[in-house]
Every structure is written in C-alpha cells, then in structure tokens.
Amino acid sequence: MNYSTLKKGLVASLVALMGVTSLASAQDATAPSSSAKVFGGRGQYRSWSIGVNAGVTTPIVLLGGRNDFTNWDVNLGYGVSLRKQLGHAFGLEANVMRGKVSGSNKDAAGGIQNGVKDFETKMQYAVDLRGVVNVATVDFLRRENSVNFILSAGYGLVAYQPTTTLANGTKNVQKPADGDDYYKGAYIPVGAGVKFKVSDRVSFNLNYTMNFIDDFNFNGVQAGNSITSNFDKFSYASAGLEFSLGSKSKPNLDWVNPLALMYDELKKSSLRQEVEALKNRVSNVEKSIEDLKKDTDGDGVADQFDKCAGTPAGTKVDGSGCPLPPPPAPVVVAPTAPTVSGWETIQFEFNSSVLKTEAYPVLDKLSSTLRENGGKITAKGYASSEGTAAYNLKLSKDRANSVKTYLVNSGVNASQVTAKGFGEANPIASNDTEEGRIQNRRVETSRN
C-alpha cells in the first residue's frame, strides 16, 4: 500500500473531522442556554474532550490467529486523544500513540523459528481516526449516567522500525529501501472500553484496542510468501483520564440521558400550563365556530349575522337574512313588423322566377305607393352566370314579369309598370362564388 496515499487519506479524514466540528461550533454559538432541551441541538452541551492514556502493548489480539513468534512480551505504550461528541451515542475521536512491541521464540525448538530468536518494533507514531459509539448512553435505570460502555473502529497510519535477533545473535535493524528510518503502513483499530464518570469534567477510561496492520513485516519476519504470510497485529490495553472542554455552565454530552431529559421536559410545570392554556384556546375556538354555524330560522344566514330573525321557511333572503323583494313582472314587447320602403331588391332561387314570401311586404309597400301617388316604374330582371346567355336573358325577363304581375294583381295599373330583362349583365357580386351568384339572381325597381 502506497504511504503517500495513506497519508493523504488520513489527513483528509482529519480535515473532515475539523469541518464537522467547525459546523458544530457555529451551532454552539446559537444556543448558549445552560438548560438543555430535547431538541435544543448540540450547542447546549460540552462536546469536546481531550484525553491522555498509558498502558501495555502485545503482539497478539484477543481474537487469536497465527503468529510469527511463539512468545509475546508486554511493553509500555502511551498516547493522547481528541474527541468530538456528535450526539448522545456517537462521536469522532483522533488518537496518537507511541510505544514498542516485542516477542520471542523461547518455546520454539532451539529457541529459533524462521531463523529469528526475537524481535522488537519501535513505533514512531500510530495515528488514527475512529468512530466511537456509547452503547449504554440511554439508561432506563438511572436518570444520570455514570458508566458508559464504548465500541470503536476506524482507520490509521503507523510508522515503525522492526529489529530482529538472528540465530547467530546478530541484531538486524530493518529499514525501508527508500532510505527512511521507518516503514509506514495502514492499520484498522477495533476496540472496546468502559468509561467511569469521576466528575462533570473528568472521566476515567479503560480501553482495549486490537490493531490490524496491512503489512507483513511489522515484527520483522515475513514467513512464507505474500499469500500464506500472516498480516501482523498488536493490541493496546490502556487506562487514562479524559477532560471535557467548554463552558462549565453546560452539561457534558457524554453523560446526558436523553430519555430522562425528555421526561423532565414533559413534566415541567410551565409546559403543562402551556398545554392547558392551549386546550382552553382550542375549546374557545370550537365554541366560536359552533356559534358561527348556528342558524335558528334555517334561511342560510348564521344568527350572528341575521338582521331579520324568524324568516318563514322557504323565503328567499339577502346576505343579511332579510326577505328579498318580489321580482318585477316581465314586460312583454309586441313584435313589430319590419319597416320596408318598397324599393328593396327582390331575390330569387336558382333557375326560378317564382317570388319568395319575404318579397311580399316589399311589393305590397311598392303597390301602395304607386296606387296612392301614381307614377311609373321599371322592373329590371337579372340572372347569375350559370347556363347560356340566351337562357339567362329569358329567365331575367320572367323574373321582371313576376314582379309586374304581382303589382298589377294588387291594383296597380299595368301601364305604370315596365318589365325588362338584362340577363347576366350588371352583376352586383362575383359570379365565381355561390354567395355572389345568389345576390345576382334579382329584380331591381326604379322610377322612370
């Protein structure tokens, strides 16, 4: 595994932690109250802590597995931690530790295995970022926690230098080929612990962490090939103190029991008073709504707005509940006959010289004028362009004679009317369309 890649990944993880905590700091600034509420946010609590620890390291883990050495030694290790609690049950923790790990082959035949008597590995540093879960934060038996059980896992980077003692007693200090004094490798820390509350600021921690290294030569021995070799590991059992940082007026988020907090908040007298006041307000609103809906006389207007109470059933009322006046009787207007002058154009159907009924009022008016005032007129007949010119000329004469015959039959002297046919001449509209041809089938009357 490439060291620079691992280093970049670890740095990115630490930066992410700082980003999360920066956001948390911004939230902290908005909630300075020392009285914590269930949904009040992290700003109500102290959530940062720093710890110091010391303990023992061994080249084995509780899960067992194969080891390159038959015997293991106990050595001193020490470290520091920085933790950000993101919630009641979860936080992020950055750890740095130093120490050494050693073991031997005393129980092997001749005290030698794989050509090596013993090893000692110095750790320049082991730094990691872990997620930490408080598995007993919610305590149903106590209103305030004093003991927390912790599980953790993460990702880290270790710099180490193994030294082995060969069968001939020679010390072999191993260094990487790039000239550096220490090898670099990734590791996965998996741990468990117990946290005891000493005071609001201080806790005493017991932890055990198994560290699984992504490399074969942490102990200086690579037995077999890259497939059959054992991945190296070591464990760190430690005890230490953790100090909560922040305002002393705020409780430490580690020790807050959210169930008890919710219970206390629900049992506050002020909250109960607010609930009772809200119930009264709802009751008043419901009563007001019922009053608004009340309509004693059933006219559709609520009593509160009804200015004419007791309206008989079925009476039509206005918006204030008063009876509407009866509608006025409808005015019947007798139809009037259309006014005609007698000089309107007389229209005919296609290929017809029969007068239409709508022409009678016009001809009756013209007849009355001629009988009362005398005078002479000319009835000029026309046709549209369908058919031959000779046929259309005859049809136009027949149309003019139909008008003269009607006038004479109504009492007009025959000498007063002259009938002439003009055929397709003098169209008043285009003969290319049906609408135009309809208009051209006509008789026009004019004074002589």
Side-chain angles (χ1 to χ4, degrees), residues 366-367 369-379 404 407-408 411-419 446-448:
L366 181 58
S367 173
T369 301
L370 291 174
R371 284 184 284 108
E372 292 177 2
N373 301 324
K376 295 182 178 183
I377 67 168
T378 300
K404 180 178 179 177
L407 293 174
V408 171
V412 176
N413 193 303
S415 63
Q416 290 181 272
V417 181
T418 302
S446 62
R447 294 181 183 274
N448 289 347

Side-chain angles (χ1 to χ4, degrees), residues 192-398:
V194 184
K195 187 174 185 176
F196 302 92
K197 183 178 180 180
V198 177
S199 69
D200 287 339
R201 286 281 188 179
V202 182
S203 64
F204 176 69
N205 301 346
L206 296 176
N207 291 290
Y208 176 78
T209 305
M210 298 178 291
N211 302 281
F212 301 93
I213 302 174
D214 187 22
D215 211 338
F216 303 104
N217 69 325
F218 179 77
N219 56 17
V221 174
Q222 181 174 341
N225 53 44
S226 59
I227 297 178
T228 60
S229 293
N230 303 326
F231 280 100
D232 292 332
K233 50 194 174 292
F234 72 95
S235 60
Y236 179 46
S238 65
L241 296 176
E242 186 175 354
F243 303 91
S244 176
L245 306 177
S247 173
K248 64 181 181 179
S249 63
K250 297 181 180 181
N252 188 345
L253 185 55
D254 281 346
W255 303 111
V256 173
N257 185 336
L259 289 182
L261 186 67
M262 181 177 292
Y263 179 84
D264 290 342
E265 188 168 330
L266 290 175
K267 288 297 181 180
K268 283 183 179 179
S269 59
S270 60
L271 179 61
R272 294 163 68 180
Q273 291 171 1
E274 290 177 7
V275 172
E276 289 300 322
L278 183 59
K279 289 168 63 176
N280 291 334
R281 290 176 60 188
V282 171
S283 177
N284 292 334
V285 170
E286 290 177 344
K287 184 178 182 302
S288 298
I289 292 175
E290 290 300 321
D291 291 341
L292 286 174
K293 292 165 58 179
K294 189 175 181 181
D295 180 14
T296 304
D297 55 13
D299 59 1
V301 179
D303 291 352
Q304 188 169 349
F305 305 104
D306 197 340
K307 295 181 179 180
C308 299
T311 305
T315 303
K316 294 184 177 181
V317 298
D318 58 17
S320 61
C322 295
L324 292 170
V331 178
V332 179
V333 180
T336 57
T339 301
V340 295
S341 65
W343 302 101
E344 286 82 4
T345 300
I346 309 302
Q347 301 293 146
F348 291 85
E349 295 291 344
F350 170 72
N351 194 28
S352 174
S353 60
V354 178
L355 292 171
K356 296 181 179 181
T357 56
E358 55 261 32
Y360 296 164
V362 176
L363 294 176
D364 289 342
K365 178 65 176 179
L366 181 58
S367 173
S368 176
T369 301
L370 291 174
R371 284 184 284 108
E372 292 177 2
N373 301 324
K376 295 182 178 183
I377 67 168
T378 300
K380 303 173 184 178
Y382 296 94
S384 56
S385 61
E386 297 99 328
T388 64
Y391 179 81
N392 287 333
L393 179 61
K394 177 181 178 302
L395 180 60
S396 66
K397 288 179 180 180
D398 292 342

Side-chain angles (χ1 to χ4, degrees), residues 21-324:
T21 55
S22 297
L23 176 60
S25 298
Q27 294 175 340
D28 291 349
T30 63
S33 174
S34 60
S35 179
K37 296 182 179 181
V38 176
F39 299 108
R42 284 191 300 270
Q44 306 174 105
Y45 308 101
R46 282 179 279 130
S47 56
W48 282 98
S49 62
I50 188 170
V52 294
N53 55 78
V56 295
T57 63
T58 60
I60 60 171
V61 296
L62 286 179
L63 297 181
R66 295 181 299 175
N67 297 293
D68 295 327
F69 290 83
T70 59
N71 302 84
W72 49 272
D73 299 332
V74 175
N75 293 281
L76 176 66
Y78 55 92
V80 296
S81 64
L82 177 65
R83 183 173 175 184
K84 173 64 178 179
Q85 195 69 24
L86 300 178
H88 293 288
F90 181 76
L92 290 178
E93 184 176 271
N95 289 275
V96 180
M97 72 159 292
R98 299 187 69 179
K100 67 178 181 178
V101 179
S102 64
S104 67
N105 286 317
K106 289 188 299 182
D107 292 342
I112 299 173
Q113 185 172 268
N114 297 318
V116 176
K117 290 183 177 181
D118 56 44
F119 84 97
E120 179 181 289
T121 297
K122 292 189 296 184
M123 288 184 289
Q124 186 186 31
Y125 62 81
V127 56
D128 61 66
L129 181 66
R130 306 178 191 177
V132 181
V133 179
N134 292 343
V135 297
T137 296
V138 180
D139 191 337
F140 292 91
L141 301 178
R142 298 178 180 83
R143 300 186 58 77
E144 185 175 357
N145 295 338
S146 58
V147 179
N148 278 345
F149 297 93
I150 296 172
L151 298 177
S152 65
Y155 178 86
L157 183 71
V158 59
Y160 60 92
Q161 183 186 79
T163 300
T164 56
T165 303
L166 303 181
N168 58 8
T170 303
K171 295 288 186 180
N172 180 24
V173 180
Q174 300 182 25
K175 297 181 180 181
D178 59 8
D180 197 350
D181 288 337
Y182 293 89
Y183 291 95
K184 276 83 175 180
Y187 71 98
I188 301 296
V190 178
V194 184
K195 187 174 185 176
F196 302 92
K197 183 178 180 180
V198 177
S199 69
D200 287 339
R201 286 281 188 179
V202 182
S203 64
F204 176 69
N205 301 346
L206 296 176
N207 291 290
Y208 176 78
T209 305
M210 298 178 291
N211 302 281
F212 301 93
I213 302 174
D214 187 22
D215 211 338
F216 303 104
N217 69 325
F218 179 77
N219 56 17
V221 174
Q222 181 174 341
N225 53 44
S226 59
I227 297 178
T228 60
S229 293
N230 303 326
F231 280 100
D232 292 332
K233 50 194 174 292
F234 72 95
S235 60
Y236 179 46
S238 65
L241 296 176
E242 186 175 354
F243 303 91
S244 176
L245 306 177
S247 173
K248 64 181 181 179
S249 63
K250 297 181 180 181
N252 188 345
L253 185 55
D254 281 346
W255 303 111
V256 173
N257 185 336
L259 289 182
L261 186 67
M262 181 177 292
Y263 179 84
D264 290 342
E265 188 168 330
L266 290 175
K267 288 297 181 180
K268 283 183 179 179
S269 59
S270 60
L271 179 61
R272 294 163 68 180
Q273 291 171 1
E274 290 177 7
V275 172
E276 289 300 322
L278 183 59
K279 289 168 63 176
N280 291 334
R281 290 176 60 188
V282 171
S283 177
N284 292 334
V285 170
E286 290 177 344
K287 184 178 182 302
S288 298
I289 292 175
E290 290 300 321
D291 291 341
L292 286 174
K293 292 165 58 179
K294 189 175 181 181
D295 180 14
T296 304
D297 55 13
D299 59 1
V301 179
D303 291 352
Q304 188 169 349
F305 305 104
D306 197 340
K307 295 181 179 180
C308 299
T311 305
T315 303
K316 294 184 177 181
V317 298
D318 58 17
S320 61
C322 295
L324 292 170

Side-chain angles (χ1 to χ4, degrees), residues 11-24:
V11 171
S13 300
L14 292 173
V15 170
L17 173 61
M18 297 306 295
V20 169
T21 55
S22 297
L23 176 60

